[in-house]
Amino acid sequence: MDEIKIIELAKSGDRKALASLVKMYEKTVYNFAFKICRDRDKAENIMQETFLSVVKSLHQFDGNSKLSTWLYRIVTNHCLMEARKFKNRHFISLDDDEDGMYENKQVVDWSSVPYKSTENNELRKILDEAISKLSPEYRMVFLLRDVEEFSTEETAKIAELSVPAVKSRLHRARAFLRNEINEAFRK
C-alpha cells in the first residue's frame, strides 16, 4: 500500500494505518531528534511527543508537502522546545560573530594524516564534538541541510525560517565547524 493511501486511512481513524506510519518513520524521527538533542532519553521522549502530535494533528496534513517534511517540522519544533527548557546550557553563539572569527583564514593540510580509517574515525569524533557545541537552532539547520540533504527551501519550510535565514545559519554553522576541525588538527 502506498503512503498516500496509508495517510488517508490513518486520517479516517484506522489504527493499523497509523501504526504503519509510525513504524515507517520511527527510526528517522528518533535519529534526527538524537542528532539535535544529543541525548538518547530526550530523543526517545521527543519521538513520543512527535508521534503524539501526529495523532492529534494528522487531519491537518494537507499533502502539499511530503509527510517526511511535515514530520521533520514537528520533530524540529519539539527539539527546540526541549532546548528552551535548558537555556542555561552553554552553546557557542554564532550570532555575535561580527569580527568573522569563524571565517577560517588558514586551512590545515589534511594530507598529513597517514591512515584513512584512522583519519575517518578521528574526523568523525571531532566533527561530532564540534556539532554538539552548536546551539540547537544552528545544529538543526546544519543537520537538515548537510546531513539529511534537504534543499534550502525544504529546510526553511521545516524550520519555519526564511531562505536567507537558513543560508545565514548554515554559513555560520559550517564556518564554525570548519574552524573547530582545523583547530583540532593543529594540535
Side-chain angles (χ1 to χ4, degrees):
M1 193 180 318
D2 71 334
E3 186 176 272
I4 296 169
K5 181 68 175 164
I6 295 171
I7 292 168
E8 290 307 315
L9 288 171
K11 280 182 172 184
S12 69
D14 185 323
R15 289 178 180 249
K16 286 184 180 181
L18 187 58
S20 180
L21 285 177
V22 170
K23 189 74 173 160
M24 287 168 58
Y25 287 102
E26 67 185 342
K27 284 184 181 178
T28 302
V29 168
Y30 174 82
N31 288 337
F32 187 67
F34 181 78
K35 288 174 187 174
I36 292 179
C37 66
R38 318 301 273 189
D39 180 277
R40 287 190 169 117
D41 292 335
K42 287 180 186 175
E44 198 167 300
N45 185 47
I46 288 168
M47 180 181 70
Q48 292 172 1
E49 292 292 326
T50 297
F51 285 117
L52 183 60
S53 294
V54 167
V55 169
K56 290 179 180 178
S57 59
L58 186 60
H59 65 280
Q60 295 174 348
F61 178 69
D62 56 15
N64 288 335
S65 63
K66 295 186 284 185
L67 182 66
S68 61
T69 303
W70 187 67
L71 282 170
Y72 273 101
R73 182 180 309 148
I74 295 170
V75 175
T76 296
N77 288 339
H78 283 291
C79 288
L80 292 175
M81 285 188 288
E82 181 70 22
R84 287 183 197 114
K85 291 179 189 176
F86 299 99
K87 278 191 173 184
N88 60 346
R89 182 164 178 214
H90 299 288
F91 296 105
I92 304 291
S93 174
L94 303 179
D95 292 324
D96 302 325
D97 184 25
E98 292 175 16
D99 299 330
M101 65 187 254
Y102 296 120
E103 288 298 326
N104 191 16
K105 308 291 189 266
Q106 299 174 332
V107 178
V108 172
D109 179 12
W110 290 66
S111 64
S112 64
V113 181
Y115 301 105
K116 285 291 182 199
S117 64
T118 303
E119 176 185 312
N120 289 340
N121 289 336
E122 186 175 356
L123 181 58
R124 189 175 297 120
K125 181 181 176 206
I126 290 167
L127 183 58
D128 192 48
E129 288 172 4
I131 290 170
S132 72
K133 292 179 184 177
L134 289 170
S135 68
E137 292 83 5
Y138 286 90
R139 189 181 315 141
M140 171 195 53
V141 169
F142 173 77
L143 292 171
L144 285 168
R145 191 67 187 90
D146 287 355
V147 176
E148 302 297 329
E149 299 180 340
F150 282 100
S151 69
T152 303
E153 292 75 17
E154 289 172 317
T155 301
K157 189 173 184 177
I158 291 167
E160 297 177 333
L161 297 169
S162 67
V163 169
V166 167
K167 289 179 179 180
S168 174
R169 287 183 184 188
L170 185 61
H171 174 74
R172 289 175 182 226
R174 286 174 177 166
F176 172 77
L177 295 173
R178 188 171 41 251
N179 187 57
E180 288 290 303
I181 292 168
N182 284 330
E183 285 296 318
F185 278 102
R186 284 190 185 118
K187 294 178 183 177

